[in-house]
Amino acid sequence: MAGKKKVQSNSASMAEAIRELMEERNLSPESVKQTMEVMLKAAYKRAHGTNENAVVVFDEDESGIPTDVTLYSRKEVVDGVYDPVTEIELEEARQLSPDCEVGDELDIPEDPKSYDRSAVSTGKQLGHQGLNESYKDNLYNEYKDKVGGIIIGYFQRERNGTIYVDLGKVEGVLPVKFQSPREKYEKGERIRALVVDISKTANGIQLILSRAAPELVRSILETEVPEVLDGTVEINKIVREAGYRTKIAVSSAREDVDPVGACVGLKGVRIQNVIHELLGEKIDVLRYDPEPTVFIKNALSPAEVSRVIILDQDKKQALAIVQESQFSLAIGKQGLNVRLANRLCDWNIDVKTEEQAAELDLSEIATRQNAQSLFNDDYDEIASIVELPGVDQRVAALLKEAGIEDVQKFVDNYESINVEGVSKEDLEKINELINQNVEFVEEGAPEQASSEGAEEYQCPECGAKITLDMTHCPKCGVEFEFKEDEE
């Protein structure tokens, strides 16, 4: 019966060289074996014209790391050789393995060093390509999870405005559009940046970095404020003009936690660390509020806003009224403060002084809003106090706890409501909001009128009840016509 036989290789162990290669390129044993096999088979094919009968065998240690490799040429034992690459004469085969017979396959060790220069060069070239691809794949897998996170590197060089950052194994690229305009670096200076993308290059991989992204501020806050990292404080939104100003809206589901205070820290230590990392960029930390008027007031900080008027709820247009002394602060240098507030709240905010607002007919605005709410077919029915636009949520919550949640119930008991923590002025404001936003409809009135009309008329044929809008009796089908009485 035909079988496979192997001639012992005399090649020297390459264990040390393989280990060095794995450590240098951070390669897995499988990738090293795959690369070496491709390289040896490529050289074999260049030397013999085919590699279909080339066999690569590895010796491995207990951890699976290859310690030696041998290239064999698998030949069939025949009586009369036709193809010397794939066949071997029986007599010659028995000199290598005395017990072989015709039909057996014999693995004969090859010495790649004996191949001509072109074969060796081909094998080396493919081997290098395979190693490079394995190396890049390993690096890519190692760094792909860092996208969206912070990484620290050192300024290496600058070309055409683009900054190249030394990150150790890989190179970071900080394009001009992702740089803060006020930041300048010297060679070897530390750079802390956000990883926004990763790509493969001819020499390895590149990480695309950013110093301008709002997410950079979020990541820095997570390292400086434990309450942000564990979710006690939520960052609702960050807007930024890199190098100049950042606004951060924060909130917390826990009533005992001050989200703004947690981010600022004792004596401002935490936020100062963030400002230092952003090289002096101004940062406003403010409280998020689901009520637009309150949120807009907060968003225009550090300016103090007297009041906010919603001009158009659907188009998200609002008017913020401030004192004359606060006007320039609310607008900001070159409109920066109000521009960031617009983006933070997602509203179009117009800032006016008290004097400028006095020249506007705000009563006309209120009338128009009420008219729109009355005649808009798409209006929402307001049933509870908490749904009233502009209502004080604290007062609404206290009333709800006291069992007064429904608008109708509030109106029916308005004069007798007495809830701790709710003042008379609070009740008056809610009553005013109800008058402005809620229209009460008497239920059952149309049905009663129709019923009364039905009692006044009867079909002249069968006596069934009929109404003025009918032309046929619903019971007997007789046709009729109503005429006005003539005097």
Side-chain angles (χ1 to χ4, degrees):
M1 186 174 182
K4 293 180 182 177
K5 300 184 181 298
K6 184 171 293 186
V7 178
Q8 184 65 36
S9 169
N10 294 321
S11 60
S13 173
M14 295 186 292
E16 190 63 33
I18 292 174
R19 287 181 182 276
E20 289 179 3
L21 180 64
M22 290 176 60
E23 292 175 2
E24 179 185 346
R25 292 291 188 121
N26 191 28
L27 300 174
S28 66
E30 287 302 319
S31 62
V32 170
K33 289 192 292 184
Q34 184 179 2
T35 300
M36 295 186 72
E37 183 173 354
V38 169
M39 178 177 63
L40 291 171
K41 284 188 174 182
Y44 184 94
K45 184 175 181 179
R46 183 75 177 182
H48 299 291
T50 181
N51 62 6
E52 291 184 0
N53 67 323
V55 179
V56 179
V57 177
F58 293 94
D59 294 332
E60 302 174 358
D61 60 16
E62 295 179 354
S63 59
I65 298 176
T67 58
D68 199 0
V69 60
T70 306
L71 173 64
Y72 291 94
S73 176
R74 179 164 292 171
K75 297 185 179 184
E76 182 182 358
V77 179
V78 296
D79 187 8
V81 173
Y82 175 75
D83 181 4
V85 175
T86 60
E87 298 172 341
I88 185 172
E89 189 70 44
L90 176 61
E91 184 178 344
E92 183 181 354
R94 284 180 172 172
Q95 293 177 3
L96 300 173
S97 179
D99 57 345
C100 65
E101 301 290 341
V102 172
D104 286 347
E105 287 183 334
L106 189 64
D107 289 347
I108 304 171
E110 291 274 324
D111 184 7
K113 295 179 181 178
S114 65
Y115 295 163
D116 59 35
R117 182 176 297 178
S118 63
V120 174
S121 177
T122 299
K124 284 184 177 180
Q125 183 178 0
L126 288 177
H128 284 306
Q129 289 177 358
L131 288 174
N132 286 336
E133 287 302 317
S134 297
Y135 180 59
K136 284 191 282 188
D137 288 343
N138 287 342
L139 282 179
Y140 186 88
N141 292 331
E142 180 180 348
Y143 283 89
K144 66 180 181 180
D145 293 335
K146 296 186 182 295
V147 174
I150 295 290
I151 199 166
I152 297 175
Y154 298 90
F155 180 89
Q156 192 174 43
R157 67 186 188 280
E158 180 180 345
R159 187 173 64 190
N160 298 328
T162 298
I163 294 175
Y164 293 86
V165 183
D166 181 9
L167 299 173
K169 295 179 182 179
V170 298
E171 183 178 60
V173 177
L174 187 58
V176 176
K177 65 178 180 178
F178 291 152
Q179 296 176 25
S180 175
R182 291 190 174 183
E183 296 181 0
K184 303 295 179 185
Y185 300 97
E186 300 293 336
K187 189 171 183 179
E189 190 173 352
R190 171 185 170 276
I191 296 178
R192 187 180 185 183
L194 182 79
V195 182
V196 295
D197 200 4
I198 181 173
S199 62
K200 292 182 180 180
T201 66
N203 299 322
I205 64 169
Q206 267 186 353
L207 300 186
I208 311 303
L209 309 178
S210 175
R211 285 281 299 174
E215 290 303 313
L216 173 68
V217 183
R218 182 187 295 271
S219 296
I220 297 173
L221 272 174
E222 288 177 350
T223 61
E224 297 291 341
V225 184
E227 292 86 346
V228 172
L229 186 62
D230 64 21
T232 303
V233 172
E234 178 185 356
I235 299 176
N236 297 87
K237 193 172 182 180
I238 300 177
V239 293
R240 184 183 182 207
E241 290 206 10
Y244 301 101
R245 197 176 208 104
T246 291
K247 285 185 180 289
I248 308 169
V250 296
S251 63
S252 177
R254 289 175 49 179
E255 295 182 358
D256 61 328
V257 174
D258 175 14
V260 175
C263 293
V264 172
L266 185 63
K267 296 183 180 180
V269 172
R270 290 177 173 178
I271 201 65
Q272 283 301 321
N273 290 338
V274 181
I275 292 172
H276 176 73
E277 183 60 46
L278 299 178
L279 303 185
E281 185 175 315
K282 293 180 180 179
I283 299 178
D284 299 327
V285 182
L286 53 100
R287 186 185 293 269
Y288 169 79
D289 197 291
E291 169 55 43
T293 56
V294 179
F295 191 27
I296 290 171
K297 273 188 178 182
N298 297 343
L300 286 169
S301 67
E304 294 182 5
V305 180
S306 301
R307 56 193 171 121
V308 174
I309 299 174
I310 303 300
L311 301 179
D312 193 314
Q313 184 80 29
D314 295 333
K315 295 181 180 179
K316 291 192 172 183
Q317 294 177 345
L319 174 65
I321 301 174
V322 299
Q323 296 291 337
E324 181 69 35
S325 60
Q326 298 292 310
F327 183 73
S328 60
L329 194 60
I331 296 296
K333 188 176 181 180
Q334 298 179 345
L336 177 60
N337 194 59
V338 69
R339 189 164 62 248
L340 286 175
N342 284 344
R343 288 164 50 192
L344 187 69
C345 300
D346 197 25
W347 277 72
N348 186 10
I349 307 168
D350 187 15
V351 180
K352 300 287 186 184
T353 64
E354 293 280 4
E355 292 76 10
Q356 292 170 334
E359 299 174 1
L360 301 175
D361 191 354
L362 298 180
S363 62
E364 181 182 344
I365 294 173
T367 302
R368 185 171 67 251
Q369 289 178 338
N370 291 336
Q372 288 175 348
S373 65
L374 286 173
F375 296 106
N376 186 0
D377 293 336
D378 297 328
Y379 70 89
D380 294 326
E381 181 180 349
I382 298 176
S384 60
I385 294 173
V386 74
E387 295 173 347
L388 291 168
V391 70
D392 189 326
Q393 297 295 322
R394 179 191 66 82
V395 176
L398 290 173
L399 290 172
K400 182 178 179 180
E401 291 177 4
I404 307 171
E405 181 180 9
D406 186 71
V407 169
Q408 185 68 55
K409 187 173 184 179
F410 178 92
V411 173
D412 293 342
N413 300 277
Y414 172 61
E415 297 295 337
S416 61
I417 294 176
N418 184 13
V419 176
E420 185 177 353
V422 179
S423 65
K424 183 178 179 181
E425 289 76 13
D426 292 332
L427 296 175
E428 289 176 352
K429 288 180 181 179
I430 292 180
N431 192 47
E432 184 180 349
L433 289 174
I434 292 174
N435 292 333
Q436 292 175 354
N437 297 279
V438 180
E439 180 183 8
F440 293 95
V441 179
E442 292 291 337
E443 295 184 0
E447 289 78 0
Q448 182 180 0
S450 176
S451 175
E452 291 175 356
E455 292 177 359
E456 295 178 4
Y457 301 96
Q458 292 181 339
C459 174
E461 291 294 325
C462 66
K465 292 181 180 180
I466 59 175
T467 59
L468 290 171
D469 59 337
M470 293 182 179
T471 59
H472 293 78
C473 176
K475 185 174 181 181
C476 66
V478 67
E479 184 176 359
F480 48 77
E481 180 180 3
F482 290 93
K483 294 183 179 181
E484 295 181 1
D485 292 336
E486 295 180 1
E487 294 183 3

